[in-house]
């Protein structure tokens, strides 16, 4: 595949929270293994310094792929108290500023409601919730435009949210917001559960894909699974997407993230294998397209 996109990794494979110290240990290893980019989860403002991280990545020849917004209980833009909405928009502005300062240029994640929060919605209630989401996101989008940052909204599987599960729902929810500033983050883990086919979802999202995360169907290393990787990556190529493709997985040894991601067992022989084996598989598969 000519002009294959950069391949990145998320430090959540080893650490949570991701801090300056965790990045100082992880970034040099990612560079040695041959990665091109790093995702930057920001669980809480101040976990890491954007200026220090930008310098660290530059020193090791890696690019910042995206600042990943984290939505624990209480971070909500829909069906929430006004104070919670204000606090959430304030947090998302911090993420935008971090994306600008690091040079990532992208904030990605389920930037609408807390992960794990689900409730039943009639068709009318869903339409109203999407309107509420657009209103809440509007000032964040305006701030992102001023900062030269794009927002990538990630649909999650049905067990983690009831609001946005599919590409189609997410495109509908974002209607009316500026397409040059806000689009979609695709994650193969969630797509495998919710979409008719990985390639179908990518083709539907073509032109609106801002960020891409990949892992096996069980959240392990890409390629150690049953997913149609050639079909997915070919559709991604055809869509015109040129951003990073980032391996996102999690450690089972951190209580908060293991529970949030339902990681109850090791996903590989060791955590390094998720990154190293996944990188090798993606390189081979891209080259064969």
């Amino acid at each position: 595949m000519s002009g294959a996109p950069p391949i990145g990794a998320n430090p959540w494979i080893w650490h949570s929270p991701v801090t300056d110290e965790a990045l100082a240990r992880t970034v040099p290893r990612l560079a040695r293994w041959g990665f091109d980019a790093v995702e930057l989860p920001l669980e809480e403002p101040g976990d890491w310094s954007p200026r220090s991280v930008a310098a660290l990545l530059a020193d090791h020849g890696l690019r910042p792929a995206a600042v990943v917004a984290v939505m624990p209980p209480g971070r909500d833009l829909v069906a929430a108290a006004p104070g919670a909405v204000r606090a959430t928009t304030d947090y998302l502005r911090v993420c935008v500023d971090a994306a600008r300062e690091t040079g990532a240029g992208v904030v990605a994640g389920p930037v609408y409601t807390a992960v794990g929060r689900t409730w039943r919605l009639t068709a009318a209630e869903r339409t109203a919730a999407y309107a509420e989401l657009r209103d809440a996101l509007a000032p964040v989008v305006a701030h992102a435009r001023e900062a030269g940052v794009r927002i990538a909204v990630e649909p999650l599987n049905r067990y983690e949210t009831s609001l946005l599960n599919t590409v189609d729902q997410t495109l509908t929810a974002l209607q009316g917001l500026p397409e040059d500033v806000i689009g979609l983050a695709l994650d193969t883990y969630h797509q495998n559960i919710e979409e008719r086919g990985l390639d179908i979802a990518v083709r539907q999202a073509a032109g609106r894909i801002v960020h891409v995360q990949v892992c096996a169907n069980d959240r392990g290393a890409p390629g150690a699974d049953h997913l149609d990787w050639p079909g997915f990556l070919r559709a991604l190529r055809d869509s015109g997407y040129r951003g990073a493709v980032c391996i996102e997985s999690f450690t089972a040894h951190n209580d908060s993230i293991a529970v949030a991601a339902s990681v109850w067992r090791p996903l590989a022989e060791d955590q390094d294998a998720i990154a190293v084996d996944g990188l090798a598989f993606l390189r081979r598969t891209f080259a064969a397209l």
Side-chain angles (χ1 to χ4, degrees):
M1 175 180 177
S2 176
I7 299 176
N10 191 312
W12 268 336
I13 297 170
W14 302 273
H15 304 287
S16 175
V18 174
T19 61
D20 281 314
E21 180 183 0
L23 287 165
R25 297 202 307 269
T26 303
V27 165
R29 297 201 301 151
L30 294 176
R32 287 198 301 272
W33 288 331
F35 280 94
D36 306 302
V38 183
E39 284 188 328
L40 300 169
L42 186 61
E43 296 180 39
E44 296 293 341
D47 279 351
W48 45 264
S49 160
R51 180 175 299 181
S52 298
V53 168
L56 175 69
L57 295 177
D59 287 346
H60 290 87
L62 294 172
R63 60 180 279 185
V67 171
V68 177
V70 185
M71 304 295 284
R75 281 191 186 144
D76 294 292
L77 295 182
V78 174
V85 174
R86 283 194 300 273
T88 302
T89 56
D90 288 346
Y91 163 74
L92 292 175
R93 288 189 186 94
V94 172
C95 290
V96 168
D97 293 341
R100 175 182 55 80
E101 292 176 50
T102 58
V106 172
V107 172
V111 293
Y112 39 92
T113 191
V115 175
R117 183 178 176 221
T118 59
W119 68 101
R120 293 179 63 86
L121 291 159
T122 66
E125 289 167 342
R126 184 173 296 278
T127 297
Y130 289 173
E132 186 179 4
L133 174 61
R134 288 190 291 272
D135 288 345
L137 279 175
V140 180
V141 170
H143 186 67
R145 183 186 288 284
E146 292 177 1
V149 169
R150 292 187 298 163
I151 298 173
V153 181
E154 180 184 6
L156 302 182
N157 71 75
R158 68 192 68 187
Y159 309 109
E160 296 185 22
T161 187
S162 54
L163 196 64
L164 298 178
N165 301 130
T166 66
V167 164
D168 182 65
Q169 287 178 325
T170 308
L171 290 173
T172 298
L174 298 183
Q175 284 178 359
L177 294 174
E179 294 185 6
D180 60 328
V181 182
I182 189 165
L184 275 70
L186 300 183
D187 184 323
T188 56
Y189 177 78
H190 302 292
Q191 286 178 254
N192 176 59
I193 297 172
E194 298 298 340
E195 304 285 0
R196 298 293 175 87
L198 297 183
D199 59 331
I200 295 170
V202 171
R203 296 185 196 284
Q204 186 178 19
R208 299 297 305 278
I209 305 171
V210 177
H211 189 61
V212 174
Q213 295 175 319
V214 295
C215 66
N217 63 278
D218 65 350
R219 288 200 186 270
D225 60 5
H226 65 247
L227 300 186
D228 176 16
W229 288 101
F232 170 75
L233 297 177
R234 189 175 297 110
L236 201 59
R237 175 198 63 192
D238 295 346
S239 76
Y241 177 74
R242 294 295 179 264
V245 173
C246 294
I247 299 171
E248 184 199 43
S249 188
F250 307 97
T251 173
H253 303 298
N254 179 283
D255 289 343
S256 60
I257 200 165
V259 171
S262 297
V263 177
W264 312 121
R265 57 182 173 79
L267 300 173
E269 182 178 341
D270 58 44
Q271 295 303 106
D272 290 0
I274 294 174
V276 174
D277 295 350
L279 174 63
F281 172 79
L282 291 171
R283 294 271 191 235
R284 289 195 307 271
T285 309
F286 276 127
L289 294 182

